[in-house]
Amino acid sequence: MHLETKLVQAGVGKDEKTGAVSFPVYYATAYRHPALGQSTGYDYSRTANPTRSILEETIACAESGDAGFACASGMAAVHTVMGLFSQNDHLIVSLDLYGGTYRLFEQVLSRYGQTFTYIDLRDRHKLEEAIRPETKAIFVETPTNPLMQITDIREVAQLAKRHQLLTIVDNTFMTPYCQRPLELGADIVLHSATKYLGGHNDVLAGLIVTKGEELSEKVRFLHNSIGAVLGPQDSWLLVRGMKTLALRMDRHQSNAFAVASKLREHPAVAEVFYPGLADHEGYDVQKGQSSGFSGMVSFRVRSSEQVGLFLQSLRIVSFAESLGGVESLCTYPATQTHADIPQEIREYVGVCDRLLRLSVGIEHPDDLLADLCQALDASLVVGGTVR
């Protein structure tokens, strides 16, 4: 069965008593036991909830995993997975990293003795050099946020297995529709499901998918023990969003390619980062490990003075944090998603004050292109003169 069909059929036929096509929302937090020592499979809603179970089964199937876990946010999912590691454990992490993940690692988990080394994972030599006796895992973002750098997941996973390390992949940008890291050798996949999986900017959620019974049981214990689980209403909203994932991703990608191609032609733009462009450094690797390129495009304008004018001139695209919804959004990473990364590190990585990130929505491409071009035209007028 194709993934598109699996997603559309999520929950269908699961409510045998009523035959409801849309699986119901179960708000109950407690469940009656049939008798002493017996259970329906549901005892307390933190541990398991019928609506959440449908979601968790769906994402595990979509990612070719053995178990899925729904969390209260993407960061709750990351934090839950980090419970696998102990004091003095070390992880190697993508250098170009979402600021919220960096904040959790450096301002929270470092206080408990966990350590992190940030490496350009495209450089195999540097990656191997970074491995220590206390290293336990490699944490991968690909494409990275926001510079769209592509890491070869197969290569990293093979190296990790040789050193008995876990490979953890944040698959938020790609979704299982475009990329399935577990099939490439990864052990754990993470999603900020708030983004493309939910798809409508109306639900906050995180998802974890694991490969292997032993690892799945460890994460199940952490999920229940930490308790940052997703509520039933949000689980239902997320299942509903995922049913149209394939349709939405196709439009996101076609629009993103059109936007990236147009941005490269505009005199206000210095650089464009989109892995779907044939001359992108990671294009061949991306084609080899995925079936698409997602809808995220980053670009640099020629002067930081242009940023404010560009953002205030947008009419259809919203200046807002987040990504992956049907509506197009533009984010300024330096003061939004990556503000908690020290400036010197941001600038070293390439997240400068000229960088903007677009989450390209599913609007008509002509309208998006017209809006972006008029805003870029306006950004060229600084101090009453055309730059």
Side-chain angles (χ1 to χ4, degrees):
M1 189 184 297
H2 292 83
L3 179 59
E4 294 93 323
T5 305
K6 293 177 182 178
L7 292 171
V8 170
Q9 291 292 314
V12 177
K14 298 287 186 175
D15 187 33
E16 296 179 1
K17 186 174 182 179
T18 68
V21 173
S22 175
F23 192 84
V25 182
Y26 282 83
Y27 288 107
T29 56
Y31 305 83
R32 293 179 65 183
H33 300 294
L36 185 64
Q38 296 181 22
S39 171
T40 62
Y42 296 97
D43 304 314
Y44 182 59
S45 201
R46 170 168 43 79
T47 306
N49 170 276
T51 312
R52 194 173 81 229
S53 293
I54 294 297
L55 168 61
E56 292 171 338
E57 291 168 10
T58 300
I59 191 60
C61 178
E63 285 283 11
S64 301
D66 293 314
F69 307 92
C71 301
S73 69
M75 291 313 305
V78 175
H79 202 171
T80 298
V81 167
M82 293 305 295
L84 291 166
F85 308 109
S86 303
Q87 187 178 20
N88 299 321
D89 283 351
H90 170 252
L91 279 80
I92 299 169
V93 184
S94 294
L95 178 63
D96 180 31
L97 184 72
Y98 168 55
T101 307
Y102 180 90
R103 178 178 58 221
L104 174 67
F105 290 175
E106 294 300 322
Q107 297 184 34
V108 180
L109 297 179
S110 63
R111 295 191 284 111
Y112 298 95
Q114 294 179 4
T115 59
F116 307 89
T117 299
Y118 301 90
I119 296 293
D120 184 342
L121 297 179
R122 298 171 298 177
D123 189 326
R124 186 188 181 96
H125 180 66
K126 285 185 178 179
L127 173 56
E128 290 197 82
E129 281 188 337
I131 297 173
R132 311 172 187 170
E134 65 270 25
T135 303
K136 303 298 180 185
I138 304 172
F139 188 102
V140 183
E141 268 190 16
T142 184
T144 59
N145 181 4
L147 293 174
M148 311 300 161
Q149 295 170 353
I150 306 301
T151 296
D152 189 323
I153 298 172
R154 286 189 188 89
E155 185 175 85
V156 170
Q158 289 168 5
L159 176 65
K161 281 180 170 55
R162 285 203 302 274
H163 292 271
Q164 297 182 309
L165 309 177
L166 290 175
T167 302
I168 304 164
V169 179
D170 185 331
N171 202 31
T172 297
F173 274 19
M174 296 305 297
T175 82
Y177 180 64
C178 295
Q179 178 173 278
R180 291 181 287 280
L182 298 181
E183 295 179 2
L184 302 172
D187 302 289
I188 299 174
V189 169
L190 294 166
H191 289 275
S192 174
T194 310
K195 312 306 194 295
Y196 284 113
L197 294 178
H200 294 81
N201 291 318
D202 59 6
V203 59
L204 184 69
L207 294 172
I208 305 165
V209 184
T210 50
K211 195 74 173 176
E213 184 178 348
E214 182 180 357
L215 184 58
S216 297
E217 285 306 311
K218 288 180 180 179
V219 174
R220 182 172 286 109
F221 171 80
L222 291 167
H223 190 234
N224 182 50
S225 299
I226 293 170
V229 300
L230 193 63
Q233 179 67 41
D234 287 341
S235 295
W236 183 86
L237 281 170
L238 192 47
V239 170
R240 185 177 69 168
M242 288 168 63
K243 285 174 179 280
T244 60
L245 178 66
L247 293 172
R248 290 186 286 104
M249 290 304 294
D250 285 343
R251 184 58 174 261
H252 283 300
Q253 292 180 97
S254 63
N255 278 0
F257 182 80
V259 164
S261 300
K262 190 69 171 179
L263 288 175
R264 298 210 309 183
E265 301 171 357
H266 200 283
V269 176
E271 292 178 275
V272 176
F273 306 94
Y274 181 59
L277 296 172
D279 59 356
H280 185 281
E281 185 180 6
Y283 178 80
D284 290 335
V285 173
Q286 185 70 5
K287 282 196 70 175
Q289 67 186 16
S290 73
S291 60
F293 302 98
S294 193
M296 300 302 299
V297 178
S298 292
F299 64 101
R300 287 194 181 104
V301 291
R302 297 193 178 278
S303 166
S304 60
E305 295 174 303
Q306 293 173 243
V307 171
L309 286 168
F310 171 75
L311 292 172
Q312 71 185 35
S313 299
L314 292 170
R315 297 167 185 161
I316 294 172
V317 180
S318 295
F319 173 33
E321 209 158 335
S322 198
L323 61 98
V326 292
E327 304 90 356
S328 292
L329 305 178
C330 186
T331 298
Y332 187 45
T335 62
Q336 292 181 304
T337 55
H338 291 64
D340 284 310
I341 298 178
Q343 183 178 352
E344 63 275 14
I345 296 176
R346 274 203 322 266
E347 292 181 351
Y348 172 74
V349 171
V351 184
C352 67
D353 60 0
R354 295 185 293 117
L355 185 72
L356 291 155
R357 190 192 73 188
L358 284 170
S359 173
V360 182
I362 65 170
E363 300 93 344
H364 194 285
D366 291 350
D367 295 329
L368 287 178
L369 296 175
D371 188 35
L372 290 167
C373 286
Q374 66 82 23
L376 286 168
D377 289 343
S379 78
L380 286 171
V381 181
V382 178
T385 60
V386 178
R387 294 181 67 86

